[in-house]
Amino acid sequence: MKTILITGAAGDVGTHLRRELAGRYRIRASDLRPLQKVAQETFMRADISRMADALRITKGVDAIVHLGGYSVEGPWEGILSANIIGCYNVFEAARRNGVKRILFPTSNHAVGFYRRDQTIDHRVYIKPDSRYGVSKVFGEALGSLYADKYGMQVYCMRIGNVNPEPIDKRRLSIWFSPRDLAQLVTIGIEHPDIRFEIVYGISANKRAWYDNANAYRLGYRPQDDSEVYAAEILAKEKPGDPTAEKYQGGVFCVAEEVPNPAPLPKLSARASRRKRAPRRAARRR
Ligand code: 15L
């Protein structure tokens, strides 16, 4: 059985994925946050913005699903540390530890400034809609470098919105059900001919903005379609900002911050004191 490292395992996507993959792989779950374990998995707490942590968690695994990072638009410092430095550390640590295969969940926000009346495939030039989107483009570029220069096998999934059900009109086009997520990830782990690939992480949505031919070529056969929820969702939808409505990235195209759907849990008073003054706290211990 293959050992798979999932970074950012405590987040929404990580939680769905671990539940779906339980029993199929030996899962090593990693996160900065504490985590509720699923079945037999092991947990390694790590801060991927530190190379030593990245080296520790990537040792001895067959593949990495690198979900860890800042998952929405927000302050540059957070994105820089988690999605630029952290992403670099995971790729570089994988290379040093001889791990060949990395699945990188990039985002629809790498191409969010395409209009909603356009259909795009995996070959379009990038059009990020946010600092967050730019950080995902960085990860795709880093993946391309590590594939070409170091022979790594990199599978980039431009993920829409993973949820048991679509939550609004925009998400009807980019909805990604947990079981379709598991199928696309399994292809990324198992397919024998991955060098560098970009696929879209969405279900078989009738309203999709993507031509997902590359995923289909690799064997993806999604089972869900958001259309069954469409009437109910459209009846509740209120008109939004006209720019957000025009582009695929929605509110990411206009907002400086987007609420995090899976925020970090509040630190206890003691832990946050330790976070503010790590050296002094360390001496005291
Ligand atoms: C993303 O890339 C985010 O990680 C996720 O939290 C959602 O906001 C999603 O995009 C979306 O576009 O709905």
Side-chain angles (χ1 to χ4, degrees):
M1 193 186 266
K2 287 183 177 148
T3 301
I4 308 298
L5 166 67
I6 301 180
T7 67
D12 264 11
V13 178
T15 303
H16 287 302
L17 188 61
R18 284 159 44 228
R19 193 192 54 239
E20 294 284 334
L21 297 186
R24 291 201 243 163
Y25 296 108
R26 205 173 293 118
I27 303 285
R28 179 184 297 172
S30 175
D31 206 296
L32 192 59
R33 299 165 280 190
L35 164 126
Q36 217 153 16
K37 277 204 203 165
V38 173
Q40 310 266 322
E41 66 191 8
T42 55
F43 175 60
M44 288 174 91
R45 197 165 186 159
D47 175 356
I48 53 160
S49 68
R50 296 190 192 144
M51 180 58 97
D53 281 15
L55 282 166
R56 181 169 51 86
I57 59 174
T58 54
K59 213 179 190 114
V61 298
D62 296 296
I64 299 168
V65 186
H66 175 40
L67 294 171
Y70 209 92
S71 68
V72 280
E73 180 61 328
W76 173 242
E77 293 68 32
I79 290 171
L80 173 67
S81 128
N83 294 15
I84 305 287
I85 298 170
C87 183
Y88 173 79
N89 286 348
V90 169
F91 272 88
E92 178 56 17
R95 184 186 74 81
R96 290 195 212 165
N97 278 328
V99 183
K100 282 263 176 242
R101 189 160 293 208
I102 299 198
L103 284 68
F104 178 59
T106 165
S107 169
N108 69 95
H109 298 292
V111 287
F113 260 117
Y114 279 96
R115 292 190 320 268
R116 293 187 185 190
D117 60 4
Q118 293 174 290
T119 299
I120 60 174
D121 70 8
H122 58 289
R123 288 169 300 203
V124 294
Y125 61 87
I126 45 114
K127 267 183 166 298
D129 56 22
S130 48
R131 292 176 287 276
Y132 166 68
V134 169
S135 74
K136 290 300 185 179
V137 170
F138 171 81
E140 293 182 7
L142 197 65
S144 175
L145 172 70
Y146 273 67
D148 288 340
K149 196 162 180 174
Y150 304 116
M152 281 171 63
Q153 301 155 357
V154 180
Y155 180 76
C156 297
M157 298 169 284
R158 286 188 182 148
I159 295 206
N161 186 244
V162 179
N163 246 311
E165 293 181 7
I167 52 176
D168 59 19
K169 186 173 105 193
R170 188 175 78 84
R171 270 65 171 237
L172 287 173
S173 298
I174 63 165
W175 180 55
F176 198 17
S177 72
R179 66 174 170 170
D180 287 341
L181 162 76
Q183 188 194 146
L184 196 66
V185 165
T186 304
I187 291 169
I189 294 170
E190 299 294 342
H191 199 288
D193 297 321
I194 303 290
R195 183 65 197 261
F196 176 78
E197 300 293 347
I198 292 183
V199 295
Y200 286 92
I202 55 164
S203 288
N205 305 323
K206 182 167 164 250
R207 293 164 191 258
W209 296 313
Y210 311 131
D211 167 357
N212 210 4
N214 202 35
Y216 285 82
R217 182 184 65 80
L218 295 167
Y220 182 49
R221 299 290 178 268
Q223 297 173 58
D224 294 306
D225 178 351
S226 63
E227 204 53 25
V228 294
Y229 303 95
E232 194 190 330
I233 283 180
L234 294 174
K236 285 190 284 191
E237 185 84 6
K238 299 199 175 66
D241 177 289
T243 305
E245 293 280 313
K246 184 170 167 190
Y247 294 107
Q248 298 180 2
V251 74
F252 283 67
C253 296
V254 293
E256 293 305 323
E257 288 201 25
V258 175
N260 189 340
L264 290 170
K266 283 205 167 44
L267 292 171
S268 68
R270 191 164 158 241
S272 72
R273 267 202 308 280
R274 211 184 306 135
K275 201 163 183 264
R276 274 201 305 274
R279 288 213 187 91
R280 253 180 49 216
R283 268 204 308 271
R284 240 184 274 132
R285 247 179 272 131

